[in-house]
Amino acid sequence: MDSMRSDPAYPSSRGMADDPRESSLAVKILVAGGFGVGKTTLVGAVSEIRPLRTEAMLTEKSIGVDDTALVSGKTTTTVAMDFGRITLPTGLVLYLFGTPGQDRFWFMWDELAQGALGAVVLVDTRRLADCFASVDYFERRGLPFIVAVNHFEGAKQYSPDQIRAALDLDADIPVITTDVRSREAAKQVLITLVEHVLMATARRG
């Protein structure tokens, strides 16, 4: 974590980079969701810098705590955050902070959420209940968010309206489908979030 603080490419979780050339056009975005839903993959797919990851190997201590039944190939877990950066065609710089998905690491969320413009909640339709906590968290904080349904092989497909109803979302919250392994698809998720935040700000104004 010390190397992150000393490198202007890696801002602290509380704020933006110290570089004045970037600060006026830089915003902080959270990428949230349940365990194994694709947060680390999304950040890695779109980041224009080498992503910072704080992953640890899953051990026997995870038995009965982390449900790996539908993500049997997953051998690591994020214990603090993922971090990446992408510059949109408009020149807006997005600093991406992936949140840890397991309950025992949720104490990190309040720290990561400080100063955030908005959030992406990733969803796996096979484990829809895993994203309830993320949705509740951002609703309570009044932080704008969108829902992005990550495509997994063999998972049943649902329409955005079905997902919206299952999550009891307000009609103005975007629900989109994506494949976070694709840079372009993941980038579109972030663009959708920024557009949603701008529209929400305009409505309040």
Side-chain angles (χ1 to χ4, degrees):
M1 294 296 289
D2 290 340
S3 61
M4 174 178 150
R5 295 192 183 96
S6 63
D7 186 342
Y10 297 101
S12 75
S13 61
R14 289 180 177 272
M16 299 299 99
D18 296 329
D19 189 340
R21 295 171 300 177
E22 295 184 356
S23 59
S24 63
L25 293 173
V27 296
K28 179 180 181 181
I29 299 296
L30 299 186
V31 181
F35 172 71
V37 78
K39 300 180 295 292
T40 299
T41 301
L42 185 149
V43 173
V46 299
S47 182
E48 62 197 16
I49 61 172
R50 179 175 57 84
L52 171 68
R53 294 171 175 165
T54 56
E55 293 194 312
M57 295 296 296
L58 291 172
T59 67
E60 63 274 7
K61 292 182 180 180
S62 296
I63 297 174
V65 178
D66 298 324
D67 182 4
T68 60
L70 294 175
V71 286
S72 57
K74 186 172 177 61
T75 59
T76 61
T77 183
T78 298
V79 296
M81 67 177 182
D82 299 308
F83 172 78
R85 183 187 72 195
I86 180 175
T87 304
L88 298 182
T90 59
L92 181 67
V93 177
L94 304 183
Y95 289 120
L96 309 176
F97 289 82
T99 65
Q102 303 92 319
D103 296 8
R104 64 188 183 279
F105 297 127
W106 280 358
F107 66 89
M108 289 288 302
W109 281 47
D110 287 342
E111 171 78 11
L112 294 174
Q114 291 189 37
L117 179 75
V120 173
V121 176
L122 283 179
V123 169
D124 178 352
T125 58
R126 303 169 302 173
R127 300 176 291 133
L128 195 61
D130 288 1
C131 74
F132 289 173
S134 299
V135 170
D136 289 344
Y137 182 85
F138 297 128
E139 286 181 339
R140 290 198 309 269
R141 293 185 70 96
L143 188 69
F145 69 94
I146 70 168
V147 169
V149 181
N150 192 17
H151 175 70
F152 287 89
E153 296 296 332
K156 185 175 180 179
Q157 300 299 298
Y158 297 90
S159 71
D161 285 343
Q162 289 174 310
I163 297 294
R164 185 188 310 282
L167 297 179
D168 193 23
L169 300 175
D170 291 340
D172 63 335
I173 297 177
V175 178
I176 62 175
T177 58
T178 189
D179 181 345
V180 298
R181 298 169 298 181
S182 163
R183 176 177 173 81
E184 289 306 313
K187 186 188 296 185
Q188 187 57 50
V189 170
L190 300 174
I191 291 173
T192 300
L193 172 62
V194 171
E195 291 174 344
H196 172 60
V197 170
L198 291 175
M199 291 180 64
T201 301
R203 285 195 297 269
R204 289 197 301 267

